[in-house]
Amino acid sequence: MKRNWMAYPYFFWMLLFTIVPLLMVLYFSFTASVNGDGRFSFANFQRVLDPLYLNVIWRSVRLAFISTVICLVLGYPVAMLLAQSQASRQFTLIVLFVIPMWMNFLARTYAWMTLLERNGLINTFLGWFGLGPYNLLHTEFAVVLGMIYNFLPFMVLPIYTVLNKMDPALTEASYDLGATPIRTFFRVTLPLSLPGVLSGISMVFMPAVTTFVIPQLLGGGQFTMIGNLIEQQFLRSNDWGFGSALSIILMLLILLSMRIMSHYDRDRGEGGGFF
Amino acid sequence: MKKTGRLIGLGLALMGLLLTAGCGGGETTAEKETLMVYNWGDYIDPQVLDDFEAEFNVDVIYEEFATNEDMYVKIKAGASNYDVAIPSDYMINKMIKEDLLLPINFENVPNYDLIDAKYKDWSFDPENTYSVPYMWGTIGIIYNTTMVDEPVTSWEILWDEKYEKNMYMLNSQRDTLAVAQEILGISLNSTDEQELEQAKQLLIEQKPLVSSYVGDEVKDLMVGGNAALALVWSGDAVTMSAQNPDLEYVIPEEGSNYWVDSMVIPVTSQNPELAEQFINYMCRTDVALKNAEYIGYNTPQVEVFEQLPEELTSDENFYPTEEILNNCEVFEDLGDAQPLYDRIWTEILAS
């Protein structure tokens, strides 16, 4: 009993800021206003099933998936490089990698706007070689770029943590037994780092599929994602019912992807996991 | 270990600094009254706020919104105690109907007399019981003369494929829908579902040509020469063409939206009397002139108008003639049709 009281504040915190809001979202999603009165209704969910909105959901999943894959492909080598470098240099490299994250996320995204503009830095630079100007800002490319830039550290760090803890004797043993570096990577390093990879994937996919700032700023309202739709309902259209229904769908989507992840992650070792 | 020790020391020192700073600030502010102002982004000369603080010995908490709809949702939710807000005509009408505004005691606002009668007693607030006009204007097209060779006379240029990905529209439902409504020749306040479907189709057709749906950032983008055309509010166009002489503003011949933004006191106000003092202060000629010069919007004040540079006040695009204004329409509150507009706008953005 003695240890339990420590948990009470957290319990109340959860109740107040997780359970109650969740129930409210659920309540609003099943409520439609009829002549000013709230009535139980499936109308909000029916509206989500409109091909128009299904297309928005599909776009969110597609863009988040592309970003996650690219983050993985870019992030894994970086994590390996970090883990394999000398201890003294490792610290510097990690600090350099993390420094941009000290700056506000919004400011970094605005910075990309000035870089990608038609008269921005990138187009000016290309202009010196007689190229462009290209429409870089307000494209799907810009949205994906923004996601990769902002979420890459969330892929690198969990993988790095796992790789760093791995006993170097294991790879050495693999070499001693005659395995090539490629074979060693696929038979030893990669399987052992899987927990880090999986948590990296969820750490990138989830913020990417729910983001609304990045498509708004870098996509210019042209590539509406589910996050934008939800924001629109709550902050402009004042349609809490539809916004809540979209939120529930988004939550189900995330639960589903977590379920798929955990399927591949039955024998996860210690460390690296966030969920 | 040494490093951690030093870090903790640094952290403690910083916290100490913050705490003392906090206390120092607390002592003086306790005696001062505070006024919460909720205004459009880039819609005041910041100097005016500093002067008000000094002159009346108060603290002003100043917050900004991007569209009328944003502002409405926040005030309706009642989470913040704004003393003064500056919405547009149709939104004021909606807020009056929903009992969100306090009547203004005009004994505290003698400077109301300085306002031109033309901008008083509009139908959204027939006797100006709740509102005091701040600025007025239109919507129109701003274009870069180095990229657009032809004369710009019609809204239809925003559907010209020549300018694909070379134009901005406003991320504001009534204003962007108004463009389609003007082209179709239907009322800006139409509540006919079929007419609105047509407007929606027109805007969905236009979407591949639009570079982006923007807010205040349109100013930087156009001044920077990032696009040929943009839908903007008239006053922003004044600011933009002052910064980039290649930019010109025009009210297309189909007509436009004629609007007035007014100062109101939301029911959540903790200090309506101070709010009235602020409104009166904003109507003082020297203050109103500073604002008009700084933000570029049209002043409803007789004396301020006379003191503005003639090249601005004689420009028909910025200070339109009666004839042009008669061809423009004022937004009205949509009442029960509001959800229809919300749905249509959501569908345009989602498509």
Side-chain angles (χ1 to χ4, degrees):
Chain A
M1 276 333 254
K2 210 178 158 192
R3 318 172 273 187
N4 271 353
W5 65 271
M6 292 273 282
Y8 281 152
Y10 185 63
F11 172 75
F12 280 115
W13 181 269
M14 288 255 286
L15 191 73
L16 211 59
F17 294 109
T18 310
I19 311 287
V20 172
L22 263 178
L23 290 175
M24 282 166 72
V25 169
L26 205 63
Y27 168 79
F28 282 119
S29 71
F30 283 107
T31 311
S33 123
V34 181
N35 304 326
D37 294 329
R39 299 255 175 85
F40 178 83
S41 148
F42 287 106
N44 294 318
F45 286 97
Q46 265 166 10
R47 191 173 163 197
V48 175
L49 293 179
D50 185 319
L52 184 74
Y53 300 119
L54 289 179
N55 191 31
V56 171
I57 295 172
W58 166 240
R59 181 187 295 139
S60 310
V61 174
R62 184 170 57 86
L63 294 182
F65 181 77
I66 294 172
S67 308
T68 311
V69 170
I70 298 179
C71 275
L72 182 60
V73 173
L74 290 176
Y76 202 102
V78 175
M80 271 181 79
L81 208 77
L82 284 175
Q84 284 167 2
S85 55
Q86 291 169 334
S88 57
R89 222 200 277 157
Q90 214 171 72
F91 178 74
T92 322
L93 283 175
I94 289 181
V95 168
L96 282 176
F97 198 73
V98 171
I99 277 179
M101 289 172 72
W102 296 355
M103 203 172 72
N104 184 288
F105 161 77
L106 207 58
R108 277 180 285 146
T109 309
Y110 270 108
W112 272 111
M113 285 175 73
T114 39
L115 288 175
L116 295 173
E117 275 177 2
R118 186 185 284 259
N119 289 339
L121 227 59
I122 293 173
N123 269 322
T124 313
F125 180 74
L126 290 175
W128 293 340
F129 302 97
L131 298 165
Y134 297 102
N135 270 320
L136 301 171
L137 192 59
H138 305 140
T139 56
E140 215 167 72
F141 162 77
V143 177
V144 172
L145 181 75
M147 289 186 192
I148 295 168
Y149 174 73
N150 279 309
F151 305 137
L152 186 62
F154 298 113
M155 181 65 83
V156 173
L157 294 177
I159 299 177
Y160 159 75
T161 315
V162 174
L163 288 177
N164 203 32
K165 276 190 200 157
M166 202 186 292
D167 190 344
L170 292 170
T171 38
E172 280 160 24
S174 172
Y175 289 138
D176 285 349
L177 292 171
T180 59
I182 294 173
R183 195 174 160 83
T184 305
F185 174 77
F186 282 107
R187 298 302 295 268
V188 181
T189 314
L190 187 64
L192 283 171
S193 68
L194 220 51
V197 171
L198 291 171
S199 71
I201 290 176
S202 13
M203 294 284 284
V204 171
F205 184 77
M206 263 186 280
V209 80
T210 53
T211 183
F212 64 92
V213 174
I214 296 173
Q216 178 57 46
L217 294 179
L218 300 178
Q222 282 280 11
F223 305 95
T224 300
M225 291 178 52
I226 189 164
N228 300 95
L229 266 188
I230 295 172
E231 189 219 5
Q232 167 89 13
Q233 301 316 308
F234 281 97
L235 296 185
R236 284 156 208 253
S237 300
N238 214 15
D239 189 346
W240 290 24
F242 184 48
S244 299
L246 285 166
S247 308
I248 297 280
I249 297 288
L250 184 58
M251 271 187 264
L252 290 177
L253 209 70
I254 289 176
L255 278 176
L256 183 75
S257 54
M258 304 259 304
R259 183 74 194 78
I260 297 171
M261 298 298 284
S262 63
H263 178 78
Y264 290 105
D265 191 27
R266 288 228 183 90
D267 43 15
R268 157 148 72 183
E270 48 112 26
F274 283 83
F275 298 95
Chain B
M1 272 322 277
K2 264 187 196 164
K3 264 187 195 163
T4 348
R6 235 184 288 159
L7 264 176
I8 292 172
L10 190 72
L12 282 175
L14 268 172
M15 269 169 66
L17 252 172
L18 282 172
L19 279 174
T20 43
C23 289
E27 272 163 37
T28 44
T29 47
E31 301 152 20
K32 276 192 187 175
E33 288 184 291
T34 38
L35 179 81
M36 284 190 75
V37 180
Y38 198 28
N39 191 7
W40 293 84
D42 294 345
Y43 208 41
I44 199 167
D45 180 350
Q47 183 63 40
V48 159
L49 291 173
D50 292 343
D51 292 350
F52 181 77
E53 282 186 322
E55 211 176 306
F56 291 79
N57 191 32
V58 291
D59 278 322
V60 175
I61 300 172
Y62 185 74
E63 286 179 24
E64 297 180 338
F65 57 84
T67 68
N68 279 304
E69 287 71 23
D70 291 7
M71 178 230 53
Y72 166 78
V73 168
K74 205 161 170 199
I75 288 187
K76 180 86 176 172
S80 22
N81 302 322
Y82 297 114
D83 296 297
V84 177
I86 314 190
S88 309
D89 32 51
Y90 71 98
M91 190 49 77
I92 294 174
N93 189 243
K94 184 180 170 79
M95 293 172 89
I96 294 172
K97 285 189 207 159
E98 297 181 17
D99 290 325
L100 291 174
L101 301 181
L102 289 177
I104 294 171
N105 177 4
F106 279 90
E107 276 171 34
N108 293 331
V109 193
N111 290 339
Y112 179 69
D113 296 339
L114 299 170
I115 295 168
D116 194 330
K118 266 194 278 187
Y119 309 104
K120 289 177 180 171
D121 306 337
W122 284 26
S123 63
F124 68 86
D125 183 10
E127 281 161 16
N128 278 86
T129 320
Y130 301 92
S131 63
V132 175
Y134 175 57
M135 294 283 165
W136 64 276
T138 55
I139 59 172
I141 298 174
I142 195 160
Y143 60 99
N144 192 317
T145 48
T146 62
M147 302 180 203
V148 183
D149 294 328
E150 58 201 304
V152 180
T153 53
S154 163
W155 289 112
E156 300 214 11
I157 195 169
L158 297 173
W159 271 257
D160 190 334
E161 281 170 20
K162 240 191 305 182
Y163 303 106
E164 186 183 351
K165 295 288 171 203
N166 212 352
M167 61 173 88
Y168 301 112
M169 295 294 279
L170 281 170
N171 186 10
S172 169
Q173 51 169 295
R174 294 291 303 259
D175 299 294
T176 290
L177 268 168
V179 176
Q181 287 166 326
E182 287 291 355
I183 286 182
L184 292 168
I186 57 180
S187 162
L188 304 188
N189 300 304
S190 167
T191 54
D192 181 303
E193 203 167 339
Q194 263 186 325
E195 286 183 348
L196 289 169
E197 276 300 315
Q198 278 181 317
K200 180 182 101 182
Q201 285 310 325
L202 203 56
L203 288 169
I204 290 178
E205 227 173 83
Q206 183 208 21
K207 202 174 174 187
L209 306 181
V210 176
S211 172
S212 129
Y213 297 85
V214 286
D216 276 328
E217 63 268 32
V218 72
K219 283 185 266 185
D220 288 337
L221 291 169
M222 286 307 287
V223 169
N226 283 292
L229 301 154
L231 165 68
V232 292
W233 291 297
S234 54
D236 286 347
V238 176
T239 314
M240 284 183 257
S241 39
Q243 287 173 32
N244 182 346
D246 294 333
L247 296 175
E248 275 186 43
Y249 177 77
V250 66
I251 302 173
E253 61 197 9
E254 291 96 340
S256 167
N257 162 234
Y258 174 28
W259 52 262
V260 58
D261 289 345
S262 304
M263 294 175 277
V264 297
I265 306 178
V267 276
T268 49
S269 169
Q270 300 291 299
N271 199 342
E273 217 165 298
L274 185 62
E276 282 154 2
Q277 274 180 347
F278 179 75
I279 293 174
N280 191 48
Y281 167 82
M282 292 283 275
C283 292
R284 220 166 68 188
T285 307
D286 61 321
V287 175
L289 181 67
K290 257 187 216 162
N291 282 330
E293 280 177 341
Y294 188 87
I295 65 176
Y297 280 88
N298 301 7
T299 182
Q301 307 231 358
V302 187
E303 280 176 46
V304 176
F305 177 80
E306 282 158 7
Q307 288 178 34
L308 282 172
E310 215 205 309
E311 61 193 74
L312 177 69
T313 50
S314 62
D315 189 328
E316 278 184 14
N317 283 314
F318 292 125
Y319 277 88
T321 58
E322 283 296 314
E323 196 193 333
I324 298 174
L325 286 178
N326 284 338
N327 194 23
C328 294
E329 202 176 351
V330 178
F331 286 146
E332 283 163 20
D333 175 36
L334 300 161
D336 295 341
Q338 185 57 51
L340 179 63
Y341 271 68
D342 287 334
R343 182 176 61 85
I344 280 182
W345 182 238
T346 304
E347 285 175 3
I348 292 167
L349 288 181
S351 72

